[in-house]
Amino acid sequence: MKKCRITAIRVACYKDLIEQYENPIPDACNIKEGQVFIANGWKKPEGFCDSAWESISPFVMTLACGGEDIYSGWMKDKKSALISCNDGFRPVSFLIEALEEEADETAR
């Protein structure tokens, strides 16, 4: 099993939708563009958003276990995926890349 790098590529914020539909939530998303996390195999990186992890974890698992070419030719790099979290008000797009580095034994 490999480690995976997860990079926040884009953070969007739909203020019009927030004003119309969302109850105020302090610190709803603390992810910043360019922020990088390393997943040790299938394990959620420390400090990573629980909700975002629910959206991207199947792709991290696939790539960490050696899977590639998700959705048959979708990505230029077959050992990567670009996945967004499911927050409709402030979605974050994450680039997930399988690394050559083996996951620590605790991830197996």
Side-chain angles (χ1 to χ4, degrees):
M1 188 174 299
K2 304 289 185 185
K3 290 185 177 185
C4 288
R5 178 176 37 242
I6 304 166
T7 306
I9 298 296
R10 177 146 316 141
V11 177
C13 184
Y14 304 126
K15 292 181 182 184
D16 58 329
L17 297 176
I18 290 169
E19 288 176 18
Q20 187 172 359
Y21 298 108
E22 186 181 49
N23 287 321
I25 299 174
D27 300 320
C29 180
N30 296 318
I31 302 280
K32 305 288 184 247
E33 283 187 18
Q35 196 169 0
V36 176
F37 299 88
I38 302 296
N40 186 35
W42 59 271
K43 291 192 174 184
K44 180 180 75 123
E46 194 168 319
F48 198 82
C49 172
D50 290 335
S51 180
W53 185 250
E54 288 179 19
S55 299
I56 74 167
S57 62
F59 299 90
V60 173
M61 175 66 103
T62 297
L63 293 169
C65 289
E68 57 182 53
D69 201 20
I70 297 171
Y71 299 127
S72 303
W74 167 48
M75 297 292 291
K76 290 180 180 180
D77 176 358
K78 292 181 179 186
K79 295 181 179 182
S80 70
L82 187 69
I83 306 297
S84 295
C85 73
N86 61 4
D87 185 333
F89 298 112
R90 57 192 71 70
V92 179
S93 295
F94 296 98
L95 177 63
I96 308 163
E97 302 167 283
L99 303 175
E100 292 301 317
E101 185 179 352
E102 292 290 326
D104 298 335
E105 288 296 318
T106 58
R108 296 177 182 209

